[in-house]
Amino acid sequence: MNKVIAQDLTIETARCLLRCSSVEDIPAIFEAIRLSEFHRGMDSEPPENIEQLYEALTENSLAWEVGRLFSFTIADSASNAVLGRIGIHRNTRLGIWNLGFWTHPEHQRKGYMT
């Protein structure tokens, strides 16, 4: 039986909140990933328009429900500003999970990912 993390789970640290990504996060996420330096060294290309992020949010939500992907927004605990994202994705190989994360370029070098 797969155990699934509740989508209303919020993990709180001294500086940050990790919570399920929401529609309200999309403008800040789009802003970050459209910056030229964001995709430097990555295999992926930025989305062409913000609508693609709404589609991705729906896909992520469905994947969360079946326990295949858990994608959290990292937000500032005081202001709720989007600092980045972190995702845990089940690999196609049994028992293997991948972890990926990014920080909004405006919030890099402030110790969030150390």
Side-chain angles (χ1 to χ4, degrees):
M1 180 174 135
N2 286 336
K3 294 190 178 194
V4 177
I5 300 169
Q7 288 192 20
D8 63 354
L9 172 71
T10 298
I11 301 168
E12 188 169 352
T13 72
R15 298 172 66 191
C16 302
L17 302 172
L18 276 69
R19 55 178 169 68
C20 184
S21 297
S22 68
V23 170
E24 291 79 20
D25 301 330
I26 288 178
I29 293 168
F30 187 70
E31 173 194 16
I33 64 178
R34 293 294 301 167
L35 296 171
S36 60
E37 66 269 18
F38 184 88
H39 279 270
R40 189 173 317 149
M42 291 185 173
D43 293 341
S44 62
E45 294 294 324
E48 294 178 18
N49 55 59
I50 198 167
E51 287 74 25
Q52 290 174 311
L53 293 182
Y54 291 100
E55 294 169 18
L57 181 65
T58 299
E59 292 170 9
N60 286 350
S61 181
L62 294 172
W64 185 304
E65 289 176 10
V66 297
R68 195 174 65 241
L69 166 71
F70 305 104
S71 182
F72 294 88
T73 290
I74 305 166
D76 180 82
S77 59
S79 69
N80 205 33
V82 173
L83 304 173
R85 302 218 22 224
I86 186 167
I88 305 164
H89 181 269
R90 186 171 28 178
N91 192 293
T92 55
R93 295 181 301 186
L94 185 62
I96 304 293
W97 288 77
N98 297 325
L99 175 70
F101 57 90
W102 59 262
T103 309
H104 191 298
E106 291 180 3
H107 301 288
Q108 292 176 354
R109 295 177 174 71
K110 296 180 182 176
Y112 289 112
M113 297 295 178
T114 55

